[in-house]
Amino acid sequence: MSPNYIRSFSEGCLRPPTVIGQFHTLFFGSIRMFFLGVLGFAVYGNEALHFSCDPDKREVNLFCYNQFRPITPQVFWALQLVIVLVPGAFFHLYAACKSIKQEDILQKSSYTGFYIFSVFLRIVLEVVAFWLQIQLFGFKVNAIYMCDVGALDKKFNITRCMVPEHFEKTIFLIAMYTFTVITVILCVAEIFEISCRRLGILKTQ
């Protein structure tokens, strides 16, 4: 791929053809990633080390933590961010290879339809991630987790585990749900903006 294609691709990713799309890029690329990268590490970075059960044995702690966290929230949200970026990245890669200028995307119906489809696909992926997050983490992190340790051939089947900083994790969960809702709203608003531009209600940039 030539340097011109790479430059066009990067400009397309950083400067979408709509005002709301540009705001979404700013919100998505800076605030959301900063929140996850910095605060997420502070809240979840040492969770496995401080997760303790009764009896406080390493094998019990590891077994119960894996049961409590089939996937860590940090990994899940990082995957969510990457996957949600894919539709837009494919579109801008296509536009770069076809030498389509950003200002021309909203002028030709085929380009506009392709772009709207990428935004719609982004909405679908965010909604799926929202549903998966509910199934995996719920809306609240309890201070006590009841772990089934029957598979370890222990004399007891259920043990109590302490979840560290459960209140902070609850707040973080709510914040990540909020970010997902905001990005979905921005995507819907972007489709609305494109429709208004196509109908001539708003002036095309």
Side-chain angles (χ1 to χ4, degrees):
M1 184 176 289
S2 69
N4 289 334
Y5 287 157
I6 296 175
R7 183 168 60 252
S8 298
F9 173 72
S10 61
E11 288 177 355
C13 292
L14 295 175
R15 295 187 69 252
T18 62
V19 174
I20 295 177
Q22 293 175 17
F23 179 77
H24 174 266
T25 300
L26 174 65
F27 175 81
F28 192 98
S30 57
I31 300 176
R32 196 173 180 182
M33 288 187 177
F34 174 83
F35 192 87
L36 176 59
V38 177
L39 297 182
F41 179 79
V43 174
Y44 289 96
N46 297 318
E47 183 182 47
L49 295 177
H50 299 292
F51 186 89
S52 61
C53 302
D54 181 23
D56 190 10
K57 295 182 179 180
R58 179 175 174 78
E59 61 173 331
V60 175
N61 291 342
L62 288 176
F63 180 85
C64 290
Y65 182 75
N66 289 332
Q67 188 179 117
F68 175 65
R69 295 285 192 214
I71 180 173
T72 61
Q74 283 179 294
V75 172
F76 175 84
W77 290 321
L79 287 173
Q80 177 186 354
L81 294 180
V82 171
I83 291 172
V84 169
L85 284 173
V86 170
F90 269 118
F91 173 82
H92 293 300
L93 181 62
Y94 167 80
C97 293
K98 294 292 185 178
S99 299
I100 303 172
K101 296 181 180 178
Q102 291 298 302
E103 55 268 21
D104 296 335
I105 292 175
L106 301 184
Q107 301 297 325
K108 193 171 181 179
S109 297
S110 59
Y111 299 157
T112 304
F114 191 6
Y115 184 76
I116 289 177
F117 176 75
S118 71
V119 177
F120 178 76
L121 188 56
R122 193 192 310 156
I123 294 174
V124 172
L125 292 173
E126 287 280 15
V127 171
V128 171
F130 189 91
W131 179 81
L132 285 175
Q133 183 175 335
I134 294 175
Q135 301 303 310
L136 289 170
F137 311 124
F139 290 95
K140 181 182 179 181
V141 179
N142 296 316
I144 303 296
Y145 174 72
M146 303 305 293
C147 176
D148 183 0
V149 293
L152 293 178
D153 294 327
K154 298 294 183 181
K155 295 179 180 179
F156 47 88
N157 291 326
I158 303 296
T159 185
R160 292 161 54 93
C161 299
M162 300 293 295
V163 181
E165 301 168 343
H166 63 97
F167 183 70
E168 293 180 10
K169 291 179 173 63
T170 298
I171 294 175
F172 201 90
L173 271 179
I174 295 173
M176 295 307 294
Y177 282 122
T178 304
F179 285 143
T180 301
V181 171
I182 291 174
T183 52
V184 170
I185 292 174
L186 288 174
C187 290
V188 173
E190 186 175 7
I191 293 177
F192 180 75
E193 179 187 347
I194 294 171
S195 301
C196 290
R197 291 186 183 281
R198 292 290 297 177
L199 293 173
I201 300 175
L202 295 174
K203 292 183 179 181
T204 304
Q205 291 176 310

